Amino acid sequence: MSLVCERSCDLNAQLDSQGRLTAVPEVQVVKFPCSGMIQPLMVEAAFKAGATGVIITGCQLGDCYYREGNRMIRERLLGGRPPGLKKTVDRRRVIGLWLSRPQASRFISEAKEFLAVVTELGPVAPEPAKPTPAPKPAPQPKSEAKSEPENNKAPAGEAKSSKATAPADPGPEPAAQPKSETKDEPKTESKPEAKEEGKPES
Amino acid sequence: MYTEPINNLNLKLEAWTNVITTSKYNPFYYHGALPQFYLWVLYLSGLLLFAYYIPTIDNAYSSEKLINAWTSVNYITNTIPFGAVFRGIHRYAGDAMVVTILLHMLRVWITDRYRQYRIVQWLSGVVLLVMVLFIGQTGYYLVWDERSLILTRMTCSALDAIPLVGTGLKTWFLNGTELTNYTLANFLFIHIGLSFALLFGLWIHYVRMTRPVLTPPPVINYILMAAILLVVAWFPIESGKMADLTSQPNTFEVDWFFLFPYAMLTSMQPGIFWLTMLAGVVLLCVVPYFVRTKEVEPAEVVLKNCTGCSLCAKDCPYQAIEMVPAPAESRFKLLATVKPYRCSGCGVCVGACAFDAIDLPNMPDADVTAQIKALLQS
Ligand code: HEM
Ligand code: SF4
Ligand code: SF4
């Protein structure tokens, strides 16, 4: 499932009649005027309805066609701005892609990769929480792919990268996944990204 | 949108820049902050110049020494420590401000961010541009070298050519009927007074934007400053000869950023010149109306759901939501209201509301959720 801002990467040419990505038919696309409109509730609803992963797509960070929409949803998902995402949502299954209009092909390659990651995640046994000392103070549930090539970290369902796991959130409460899989890994990264920026500054 | 093809190129360029700078340091994303930075630089360097500037045109020697605007500028340049540097900074930061304003304008135009709910920003921007250009010109009068004299005379005859108000404007400009010491005092006042009036213009420019991007990461400012210092070192400023009211100098160097109107005046009838200028400004003002697109559908509050939590008002990037006291029968203190003429229809408020209390009329969030479910079930 992918929630996509109409003004970020232009997918109109890539969709079939039912709103699936032609290149990766597993990916369903819902369009928004701006990624800032996406409610964390909608992400939760998608999981409840059986999605195995959610891709949020907005303009390049710093370049929302309106103003600040991508930053808003990013901060909401990261937990820095209310309303946030329920803790029970497996953070590895949510990624943000910040792409400008001409970057549709990049969207597709990222979507394929992400699909591989969530498929691999599948219904798996709970992994132990990794107490990686977080370099950042706040929970960092999700990273973003920017326009840099980032293939090296591709199989990164298991957040192995530096800034990934940030269990700074109160409890590594066992996160009951709404869908088949359950993880206790509190906050892991779906896609640790080379170019991950620091916490959003105010 | 007719700028779409250019924009696609532009976005590619910006994506490339992102590879090098990351989006946090991408100067394109701070297009508005660049002229703002140069404005601060101008205020500070101008303060120093102001401290030692003497706005008179006297050509007579008082005791041994001649004291007037030109000699005071010379004094600043040659005697005050780093005076020449500050003068150079002030001159070139002005030029840089014009360049960055034009780039800023170009970018909002190319990326289609200048119409509809942004009209106030665009129109106030046009006013700011005209003001900045005029302030820059008055700066060139202040030096009181031969060029200043030519410019002053040209301005007078151009003003004279305007029907009805022309003579009055000329009297205002000269602060009297002829060039006197009071004239330069007036120039100084116009220069500084209008510079501060810019702040008011900028307030209008920003008033509809929540959190305008004014403070890029410091490195960007350092680079902007370094660029100015390089130019200052490379092209030190030289004053021309002191103005002499009895002489008739007739050639001058043109600073194309500010003095292009005078270049035009040398080859145009004043009447045509004023019409061209007017047409230019009017054209800029109507550019946003060339494109007809469907109207924005402003967000709507679902009165019975709103808890008055103010999250939407905080996050709305266009200052379009006002919290008003809730009606008496409500359980809550406040109620969100949307100012439709400010709303961009972006939906950030929808994302902010945890109570489904605010909707875009063409896309209620209940429908979105239903759509998500339906798609997943299919
Ligand atoms: C004194 C010179 C100017 C300064 C310092 C300035 C500064 C700024 C700043 C800081 C922003 C906010 C950008 C953001 O937060 O995203 C902005 C937005 C804007 N400016 Fe200017 N500006 C100037 C002149 C102009 C001119 C000459 C125009 C066009 C005629 C213009 C048109 C706009 C428009 C349309 C926006 C809205 C863009 C958006 O909402 O994304 N500005 N300006
Ligand atoms: S976020 Fe929702 S509930 Fe809160 S004030 Fe806005 S409309 Fe009302
Ligand atoms: S849609 Fe909502 S957040 Fe966006 S400008 Fe309108 S009121 Fe503000």
Side-chain angles (χ1 to χ4, degrees), chain A residues 74-134:
Chain A
R74 176 171 181 259
E75 290 178 13
R76 282 187 189 124
L77 294 176
L78 286 170
R81 178 179 288 278
L85 199 56
K86 277 212 194 82
K87 287 210 197 74
T88 50
V89 173
D90 182 354
R91 261 58 177 176
R92 292 175 300 178
R93 296 173 182 279
V94 183
I95 60 164
L97 292 175
W98 314 114
L99 302 169
S100 62
R101 285 190 78 69
Q103 288 179 305
S105 58
R106 174 145 163 97
F107 176 83
I108 292 177
S109 62
E110 293 288 345
K112 279 190 187 139
E113 228 169 68
F114 181 61
L115 184 68
V117 172
V118 281
T119 320
E120 193 181 307
L121 275 178
V124 286
E127 295 171 42
K130 291 183 200 134
T132 315

Side-chain angles (χ1 to χ4, degrees), chain A residues 111-192:
Chain A
K112 279 190 187 139
E113 228 169 68
F114 181 61
L115 184 68
V117 172
V118 281
T119 320
E120 193 181 307
L121 275 178
V124 286
E127 295 171 42
K130 291 183 200 134
T132 315
K136 311 257 167 64
Q140 186 80 27
K142 158 189 97 91
S143 67
E144 47 269 301
K146 307 269 215 30
S147 38
E148 293 78 21
E150 51 103 46
N151 30 36
N152 45 350
K153 310 251 174 103
E158 46 292 344
K160 51 164 186 194
S161 110
S162 48
K163 37 199 77 170
T165 41
D169 220 35
E173 61 177 308
Q177 207 37 40
K179 227 344 200 116
S180 48
E181 50 276 331
T182 38
K183 309 264 156 337
D184 356 330
E185 193 155 310
K187 310 265 151 167
T188 18
E189 189 90 17
S190 59
K191 233 184 224 190

Side-chain angles (χ1 to χ4, degrees), chain B residues 297-299 312 315-321 338-339 342-350 358 360:
Chain B
E297 294 190 40
C312 55
D315 287 357
C316 169
Y318 289 98
Q319 302 267 298
I321 299 180
V338 178
K339 297 183 179 150
R342 290 189 174 193
C343 176
S344 67
C346 64
V348 163
C349 49
V350 179
I358 195 161
L360 296 185

Side-chain angles (χ1 to χ4, degrees), chain A residues 28 31-32 34 36-37 39 46 60-61 63-68 72 76 81 83 101 148 195 197 201, chain B residues 18 22-24 29 107 112-113 117-118 210-211 315 317-318 346-347 350-353 363 365 375:
Chain A
Q28 292 277 4
K31 287 194 280 186
F32 287 83
C34 173
M37 183 184 169
Q39 296 172 330
Q60 293 265 356
L61 289 175
D63 195 30
C64 176
Y65 170 78
Y66 293 101
R67 302 184 71 245
E68 303 185 329
M72 293 289 169
R76 282 187 189 124
R81 178 179 288 278
R101 285 190 78 69
E148 293 78 21
K195 233 33 219 196
E197 313 175 332
E201 60 255 69
Chain B
N18 270 340
T22 73
S23 62
K24 186 170 166 199
Y29 297 165
R107 187 174 189 274
D112 190 19
R113 289 187 172 109
Y117 47 92
R118 295 194 238 242
T210 318
R211 302 167 287 270
D315 287 357
Y318 289 98
C346 64
V350 179
C353 185
M363 200 176 177
D365 44 14
L375 280 174

